[in-house]
Short mmCIF file of all heavy atoms in Angstrom, two decimals:
data_model
loop_
_atom_site.label_atom_id
_atom_site.label_comp_id
_atom_site.label_asym_id
_atom_site.label_seq_id
_atom_site.Cartn_x
_atom_site.Cartn_y
_atom_site.Cartn_z
N PRO A 8 16.38 11.96 3.08
CA PRO A 8 16.40 13.00 4.10
C PRO A 8 16.66 14.38 3.51
O PRO A 8 17.51 14.54 2.64
CB PRO A 8 17.55 12.59 5.00
CG PRO A 8 17.66 11.13 4.84
CD PRO A 8 17.24 10.84 3.43
N ILE A 9 15.96 15.34 4.03
CA ILE A 9 16.10 16.70 3.53
C ILE A 9 17.54 17.18 3.64
O ILE A 9 18.09 17.76 2.71
CB ILE A 9 15.15 17.64 4.30
CG1 ILE A 9 13.70 17.30 3.93
CG2 ILE A 9 15.45 19.08 4.00
CD1 ILE A 9 12.67 18.11 4.66
P DC E 14 18.36 10.49 8.40
OP1 DC E 14 18.48 10.44 6.94
OP2 DC E 14 19.52 10.86 9.24
"O5'" DC E 14 17.16 11.46 8.76
"C5'" DC E 14 15.90 11.23 8.12
"C4'" DC E 14 14.91 12.21 8.71
"O4'" DC E 14 14.69 11.89 10.09
"C3'" DC E 14 15.41 13.66 8.69
"O3'" DC E 14 14.53 14.42 7.89
"C2'" DC E 14 15.41 14.08 10.15
"C1'" DC E 14 14.47 13.08 10.79
N1 DC E 14 14.72 12.80 12.22
C2 DC E 14 13.73 13.05 13.17
O2 DC E 14 12.63 13.51 12.78
N3 DC E 14 13.97 12.79 14.48
C4 DC E 14 15.15 12.29 14.85
N4 DC E 14 15.34 12.04 16.14
C5 DC E 14 16.19 12.04 13.90
C6 DC E 14 15.93 12.30 12.60
P DT E 15 14.73 15.94 7.66
OP1 DT E 15 13.99 16.29 6.44
OP2 DT E 15 16.17 16.19 7.78
"O5'" DT E 15 13.99 16.62 8.88
"C5'" DT E 15 12.60 16.48 8.98
"C4'" DT E 15 12.06 17.34 10.10
"O4'" DT E 15 12.43 16.78 11.37
"C3'" DT E 15 12.59 18.77 10.07
"O3'" DT E 15 11.48 19.66 10.06
"C2'" DT E 15 13.38 18.91 11.38
"C1'" DT E 15 12.77 17.83 12.25
N1 DT E 15 13.69 17.21 13.25
C2 DT E 15 13.23 17.05 14.54
O2 DT E 15 12.14 17.41 14.90
N3 DT E 15 14.13 16.45 15.39
C4 DT E 15 15.40 16.00 15.08
O4 DT E 15 16.10 15.49 15.93
C5 DT E 15 15.80 16.20 13.71
C7 DT E 15 17.15 15.76 13.28
C6 DT E 15 14.94 16.79 12.88
#
Side-chain angles (χ1 to χ4, degrees):
Chain A
I9 292 177

